[in-house]
Amino acid sequence: KKSAIKDLRKNIKRQAYNANIKHNIKDLKKKSEKAIKNKEKEAEKVIATTLKAIDKAVQKGVLKKNTGDRKKSRLQIKLNKSK
């Protein structure tokens, strides 16, 4: 019973940690898409930051590998189309 309570505590902390990282990625993705849409000069820098964040999330186990690859691929395709 005691270990179950500890597990619940851990789960809540992990959930908050993962939600924070996912929220961060969503914000970065929106910034990247906005930069692409407005054809800003810093679009590539913003996208590089986003790709790095996605890679880190995959590495930490917040996102699954294929999900991370899919998000990166879709972003890269949008950038290439805008050029």
Side-chain angles (χ1 to χ4, degrees):
K1 193 170 184 175
K2 202 172 186 181
S3 63
I5 294 168
K6 284 183 182 179
D7 275 345
L8 283 172
R9 253 197 324 240
K10 280 191 218 170
N11 287 341
I12 290 168
K13 284 181 183 176
R14 288 176 184 158
Q15 197 176 10
Y17 174 79
N18 291 345
N20 188 26
I21 290 177
K22 284 182 183 180
H23 183 72
N24 222 359
I25 289 173
K26 281 182 185 175
D27 284 349
L28 284 168
K29 205 170 138 199
K30 283 179 188 174
K31 280 183 188 174
S32 300
E33 288 172 357
K34 190 176 179 184
I36 291 170
K37 192 176 178 186
N38 297 337
K39 299 193 178 194
E40 293 176 18
K41 291 179 182 176
E42 309 103 38
E44 286 185 29
K45 284 183 184 175
V46 176
I47 287 172
T49 310
T50 308
L51 297 181
K52 191 175 179 182
I54 291 171
D55 279 335
K56 276 190 178 178
V58 169
Q59 193 177 15
K60 303 238 181 207
V62 177
L63 294 176
K64 290 190 174 177
K65 186 182 179 298
N66 287 352
T67 305
D69 289 343
R70 185 177 65 244
K71 287 179 185 287
K72 285 171 26 181
S73 174
R74 287 179 181 170
L75 235 168
Q76 201 64 51
I77 287 169
K78 285 179 185 176
L79 177 67
N80 293 344
K81 277 186 180 176
S82 72
K83 287 182 179 179

